[in-house]
Amino acid sequence: MANHVYSISEVVGTSPDSVETAVANAVTQAAKTLRNLDWFEVQSVRGQIIDGAIAHWQVTVKLGFRIDD
């Protein structure tokens, strides 16, 4: 990562299946419009409970991407 400048974008991914799938959904969708994605950091995890069971996952993810030279 030497001599690079990064910008950070924050996105929220969701999934009814898992935290990992919610993160993957966030990264996959962001990669469609952001170039040079290099890293991610999960900021928070939330979920929806219906009838005493986990129904949905929501994660806030920071994405780091290199600024073009």
Side-chain angles (χ1 to χ4, degrees), residues 42-57:
V42 175
Q43 292 293 293
S44 63
V45 178
R46 290 170 300 283
Q48 179 185 25
I49 299 171
I50 298 177
D51 296 328
I54 296 172
H56 211 84
W57 295 94

Side-chain angles (χ1 to χ4, degrees), residues 9-14 19 22-23 26 40-46 57-63:
S9 181
E10 188 172 273
V11 298
V12 176
T14 64
V19 170
V23 171
F40 72 92
E41 177 183 350
V42 175
Q43 292 293 293
S44 63
V45 178
R46 290 170 300 283
W57 295 94
Q58 184 181 55
V59 296
T60 302
V61 180
K62 284 190 177 182
L63 300 169

Side-chain angles (χ1 to χ4, degrees), residues 23-42:
V23 171
N25 289 342
V27 171
T28 299
Q29 193 64 29
K32 293 179 181 179
T33 57
L34 295 173
R35 293 188 319 272
N36 304 322
L37 285 175
D38 277 354
W39 54 267
F40 72 92
E41 177 183 350
V42 175

